[in-house]
């Protein structure tokens, strides 16, 4: 038995050959991607300097992905305005979806057959037809209902009548279409969350005299949130991108703004990249928000909550520092 | 009818209940006076828990009379008709009946203190400060002073059950129901919960306890009821019933439990 100098037995870790092959393959792919993203192509033109024998010529090159154009448009007012509309559309559609979805979920779980049946039918219809079709239907709703009235159902009594097209702009049609569609999905997510809360919690709340509404609000909902938040985060991110469909009905959101610009200057790829980069930026911000929201609603579910990325980074740093036997040396180096 | 005697705290006359065609309670009679402790014992599936849950209307009984503090549970007698009470009325009655569950059922997303203040604030409309003060006082009483900020998941089973008792007591109940409060606990944690319950009994709280702890039934109970297959098979003074059972079923049950 071989031992180290201090007498302890040396541990030889297992070698993961397959893992190393995988890592190598992944690194090659990453290198290829980085290479092509940063590659330049010759334009066919040349620039020359000097005269006579000392004349030197270079082929003019440009970014394959036209990064210069991508970033030139990145902060133009048209793109930023489109981004704002995208955010607005996403926020409103999700707000409608979440509120209506919650109501539908509670209805679906009601012991009353009419309420649960209505909720089921809603979900069946709005989940069963393409969102693009729904968007087009709401955009053209004036064909079916040229006027909207507020009055008593099944009578001619109307207190207020307006022309549909004057109050229903494309942006509003998109908000309604995306919001109602989202509600169908959110209702299923909310229902799963409500069902995930243990029956005993409801009994305990009931036993201290809470009525159904209080039980739902103070006991069931906060605990259901832990299950509801992660897929809802997904839905928000998904909605951010689905909202680009609104460009079809003439809403100038992020993608609409980009297509408007490239239909004038034919810089199709750069502008699609500009829009994509903005979608990525917003998605990243939303993911960070989701993490902290999940942490907040996870209270009490775990004995110790997971560390935030900042905490983890600090701990990792502390671990690296601790690995160096001469701490003062490293600290000194950092200071210098 | 004389007005001198205050009504019994709980009176059951021929209470029946069935689930999907199976009759779980086949006419249960029981009387618990004020300040008395009654223990319900019996094999599992005998209907003990169901009966307990009928008392605070978590389950609706099908037939028979069930009175708490002289009032019908869940119904009102007017003009010789039984009117079902509204949810709000039932909830208000239920608030004065404390219940402790086998699996604690503490609100997982709330701290120990919030578990105890929630009902006070939302149901009894007690002010925040007063509710907290009362919660701390009760935590001290169940031996958990200083655990205010803990979440239920951070406590042992015995501690959780004592918080659950404090939560029920915070509603200032006139009656406490215990549904096998120590059955989900590790053996070494049973004692701390039973101690709290003994204190409570000594303080004059009316209690109905479904339990398998024969030791507790013997010392703390005024009356022991043996429930078997939906009927009270035998009842009486615990020293009598538990040491000299007359019915063969109780004899058989006790030989297995003791």
């Amino acid at each position: 038995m071989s031992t180290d100098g201090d007498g302890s037995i040396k541990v030889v870790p297992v070698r993961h050959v397959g893992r190393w092959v995988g890592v190598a393959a992944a690194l090659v792919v990453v290198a290829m991607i980085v290479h092509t993203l940063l590659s330049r192509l010759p334009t066919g033109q040349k620039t020359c300097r000097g005269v006579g024998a000392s004349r030197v010529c270079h082929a003019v090159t440009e970014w394959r992905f036209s990064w210069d154009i991508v970033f030139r448009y990145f902060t133009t007012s048209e793109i930023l305005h489109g981004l704002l509309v995208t955010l607005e559309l996403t926020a409103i559609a999700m707000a409608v979806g979440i509120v209506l979805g919650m109501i539908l979920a509670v209805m679906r779980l009601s012991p009353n057959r009419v309420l649960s049946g209505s909720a089921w039918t809603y979900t069946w219809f709005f989940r069963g037809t393409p969102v693009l079709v729904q968007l087009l239907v709401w955009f053209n709703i004036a064909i079916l209902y040229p006027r909207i009235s507020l009055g008593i159902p099944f009578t001619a009594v109307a207190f207020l009548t307006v022309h549909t097209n004057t109050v229903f702009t494309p942006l509003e049609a998109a908000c309604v279409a995306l919001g109602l569609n989202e509600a169908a999905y959110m209702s299923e997510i909310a229902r799963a969350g409500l069902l995930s809360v243990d029956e005993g919690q409801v009994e305990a709340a009931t036993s201290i005299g809470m009525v159904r509404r209080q039980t739902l609000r103070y006991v069931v909902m906060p605990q259901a949130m832990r299950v509801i938040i992660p897929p809802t985060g997904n839905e928000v991110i998904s909605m951010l991108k689905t909202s680009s469909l609104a460009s079809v009905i003439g809403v100038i959101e992020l993608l609409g703004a980009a297509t408007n610009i490239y239909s004038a200057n034919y810089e199709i790829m750069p502008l699609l990249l500009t829009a994509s980069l903005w979608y990525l930026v917003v998605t990243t911000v939303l993911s960070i928000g989701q993490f902290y929201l999940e942490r907040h609603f996870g209270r009490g579910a775990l004995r110790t909550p997971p560390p935030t990325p900042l905490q983890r980074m600090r701990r990792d740093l502390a671990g690296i520092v601790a690995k160096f036997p001469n701490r003062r040396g490293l600290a000194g180096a950092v200071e210098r | 009818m004389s007005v001198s005697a205050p009504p019994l705290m709980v009176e059951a006359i021929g209470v029946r209940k069935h689930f999907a065609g199976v009759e779980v309670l086949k006419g249960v009679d029981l009387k618990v006076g004020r300040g008395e402790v009654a223990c319900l014992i019996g094999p599992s599936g005998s209907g003990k828990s169901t009966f307990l849950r009928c008392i605070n209307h978590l389950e609706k009984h099908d037939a028979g009379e069930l009175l708490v503090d002289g009032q019908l549970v869940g119904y009102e007698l007017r003009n010789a008709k039984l009117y079902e009470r509204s949810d709000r009325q039932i909830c208000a009655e239920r608030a004065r009946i404390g219940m402790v569950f086998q699996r604690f059922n503490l609100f997982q997303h709330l701290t120990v203190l919030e578990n105890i203040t929630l009902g006070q604030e939302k149901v009894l409309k007690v002010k925040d400060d007063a509710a907290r003060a009362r919660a701390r006082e009760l935590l001290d009483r169940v031996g958990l002073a200083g655990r205010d900020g803990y979440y239920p998941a951070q406590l042992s089973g015995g501690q959780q059950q004592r918080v659950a008792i404090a939560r029920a007591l915070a509603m200032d109940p006139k009656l406490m129901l215990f549904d096998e409060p120590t059955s989900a606990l590790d053996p070494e944690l049973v004692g701390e919960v039973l101690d709290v319950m003994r204190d409570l009994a000594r303080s004059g709280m009316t209690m109905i306890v479904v339990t398998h702890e024969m030791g507790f039934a013997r010392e703390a109970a005024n009356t022991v009821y043996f429930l078997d297959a939906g009927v009270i098979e035998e009842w009486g003074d615990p020293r009598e019933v538990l040491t000299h059972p007359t019915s063969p079923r109780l004899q058989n049950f006790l030989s297995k439990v003791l």
Side-chain angles (χ1 to χ4, degrees):
Chain A
M1 204 183 284
S2 75
T3 56
D4 267 359
D6 57 353
S8 65
I9 302 167
K10 198 183 170 197
V11 178
V12 182
V14 176
R15 287 185 205 290
H16 302 278
V17 179
R19 197 181 290 172
W20 284 109
V21 172
V23 168
L27 284 178
V28 169
V29 172
V30 168
M32 283 169 72
I33 291 172
V34 170
H35 178 255
T36 190
L37 283 176
L38 299 181
S39 63
R40 300 183 73 101
L41 295 174
T43 56
Q45 294 168 325
K46 281 182 179 175
T47 54
C48 297
R49 226 179 285 145
V51 277
S54 64
R55 186 175 169 85
V56 186
C57 287
H58 291 286
V60 176
T61 58
E62 59 182 4
W63 294 106
R64 180 193 290 271
F65 281 83
S66 313
W67 294 117
D68 47 339
I69 304 172
V70 170
F71 287 106
R72 194 189 307 146
Y73 281 102
F74 200 63
T75 50
T76 55
S77 65
E78 261 178 297
I79 290 288
L80 288 183
H81 185 261
L83 175 68
L84 214 63
V85 174
T86 288
L87 293 178
E88 189 188 343
L89 196 50
T90 306
I92 295 175
M94 279 315 294
V96 171
I98 289 171
V99 171
L100 193 55
M102 288 283 182
I103 295 171
L104 284 167
V106 173
M107 277 170 69
R108 182 81 189 275
L109 295 174
S110 160
N112 186 304
R113 292 259 178 87
V114 175
L115 290 179
S116 68
S118 319
W120 182 87
T121 312
Y122 182 96
T123 308
W124 169 78
F125 181 80
F126 282 90
R127 220 171 44 164
T129 52
V131 63
L132 184 54
V133 174
Q134 291 175 27
L135 209 54
L136 291 168
V137 167
W138 284 107
F139 179 56
N140 294 302
I141 199 72
I143 300 171
L144 283 179
Y145 301 101
R147 280 177 288 275
I148 306 172
S149 314
L150 186 70
I152 301 170
F154 306 116
T155 64
V157 181
F159 308 118
L160 182 73
T161 302
V162 289
H163 285 276
T164 306
N165 276 337
T166 57
V167 290
F168 220 48
T169 64
L171 181 64
E172 281 155 1
C175 287
V176 169
L178 295 175
L180 294 188
N181 181 262
E182 184 56 34
Y185 290 92
M186 278 309 302
S187 78
E188 289 296 286
I189 291 172
R191 188 166 70 98
L194 294 178
L195 288 177
S196 76
V197 179
D198 185 51
E199 185 67 24
Q201 298 285 310
V202 177
E203 283 184 0
T206 311
S207 80
I208 56 172
M210 286 190 162
V211 295
R212 193 173 134 85
R213 192 176 44 77
Q214 289 176 317
T215 303
L216 206 61
R217 175 163 167 205
Y218 299 114
V219 175
V220 178
M221 274 296 178
Q223 295 188 67
M225 280 303 171
R226 198 169 61 82
V227 175
I228 292 175
I229 292 287
T232 303
N234 258 349
E235 291 295 310
V236 175
I237 288 167
S238 167
M239 176 61 75
L240 179 77
K241 293 166 296 167
T242 309
S243 67
S244 64
L245 286 179
S247 63
V248 173
I249 59 169
V251 178
I252 303 166
E253 36 68 73
L254 184 50
L255 180 65
T259 53
N260 270 358
I261 299 172
Y262 76 56
S263 62
N265 66 6
Y266 301 109
E267 297 284 6
I268 299 175
M269 272 302 171
L271 278 150
L272 288 178
L273 279 174
T274 304
S276 301
L277 281 180
W278 267 122
Y279 282 118
L280 277 172
V281 167
V282 179
T283 306
T284 308
V285 172
L286 288 175
S287 306
I288 295 170
Q290 184 183 353
F291 174 85
Y292 284 96
L293 215 56
E294 274 176 38
R295 218 176 113 86
H296 173 78
F297 282 105
R299 274 173 318 166
L302 299 168
R303 283 173 198 220
T304 47
T308 62
L310 263 179
Q311 289 171 338
R312 199 181 310 152
M313 215 161 74
R314 221 172 285 146
R315 207 173 49 191
D316 287 353
L317 265 179
I320 292 167
V321 171
K323 265 190 188 167
F324 288 89
N326 185 357
R327 280 185 190 201
R328 195 172 280 164
L330 187 79
V334 170
E335 271 166 26
R336 248 174 273 139
Chain B
M1 201 171 143
S2 70
V3 279
S4 58
L8 294 166
M9 188 52 89
V10 179
E11 186 171 11
I13 306 160
V15 170
R16 288 173 179 272
K17 168 80 190 167
H18 70 266
F19 290 112
V22 181
E23 192 152 52
V24 184
L25 300 176
K26 299 173 185 166
V28 174
D29 300 306
L30 168 146
K31 277 179 186 158
V32 181
R34 283 159 195 282
E36 281 183 5
V37 177
C39 279
L40 283 177
I41 60 171
S44 60
S46 58
K48 310 182 296 283
S49 291
T50 306
F51 178 66
L52 203 67
R53 294 156 63 86
C54 283
I55 297 175
N56 70 350
H57 215 54
L58 276 182
E59 305 280 1
K60 251 188 219 175
H61 59 284
D62 307 324
E65 268 180 63
L66 191 50
L67 296 112
V68 172
D69 204 8
Q71 286 200 312
L72 286 172
V73 174
Y75 299 93
E76 201 175 353
L77 186 65
R78 269 186 282 139
N79 311 328
K81 277 186 193 157
L82 282 181
Y83 288 89
E84 205 169 339
R85 282 180 201 270
S86 70
D87 282 351
R88 193 161 282 280
Q89 283 174 314
I90 291 174
C91 286
E93 283 173 34
R94 214 182 255 140
R96 300 295 311 279
I97 304 174
M99 185 148 194
V100 175
F101 301 87
Q102 182 176 357
R103 286 175 52 244
F104 330 134
N105 296 348
L106 288 180
F107 304 131
Q108 296 294 317
H109 62 302
L110 299 179
T111 62
V112 164
L113 197 77
E114 290 164 343
N115 261 279
I116 305 174
T117 54
L118 186 69
Q120 296 184 67
E121 287 174 14
K122 305 302 175 195
V123 180
L124 302 180
K125 312 288 179 198
V126 175
K127 285 268 182 300
D128 188 46
D129 294 345
R132 281 160 177 275
R134 175 90 175 116
R136 291 216 173 83
E137 182 192 313
L138 286 167
L139 276 178
D140 189 41
R141 184 166 165 193
V142 299
L144 288 172
R147 299 291 170 125
D148 309 14
Y150 283 60
Y151 283 100
Q154 296 169 313
L155 299 179
S156 75
Q159 290 170 329
Q160 288 191 55
Q161 194 61 297
R162 284 186 281 153
V163 174
I165 293 173
R167 176 177 68 182
L169 290 176
M171 305 303 289
D172 214 0
K174 51 188 177 185
L175 167 68
M176 286 281 285
L177 307 175
F178 293 84
D179 189 3
E180 303 200 29
T182 57
S183 298
L185 296 178
D186 290 338
E188 78 269 25
L189 303 178
V190 169
E192 62 189 53
V193 173
L194 291 182
D195 284 344
V196 170
M197 289 168 62
R198 266 188 217 104
D199 276 352
L200 204 55
R202 243 175 264 137
S203 74
M205 176 64 74
T206 312
M207 294 161 60
I208 301 182
V209 185
V210 170
T211 187
H212 291 293
E213 296 294 328
M214 295 307 150
F216 176 80
R218 196 187 307 262
E219 16 164 334
N222 301 92
T223 321
V224 166
Y225 290 86
F226 172 61
L227 198 62
D228 188 45
V231 289
I232 302 280
E233 187 76 19
E234 191 168 343
W235 65 280
D237 186 285
R239 276 148 300 208
E240 240 351 86
V241 173
L242 296 178
T243 36
H244 307 294
T246 51
S247 85
R249 282 189 173 171
L250 180 54
Q251 287 165 358
N252 184 23
F253 175 72
L254 288 176
S255 72
K256 282 177 191 156
V257 179
L258 293 176

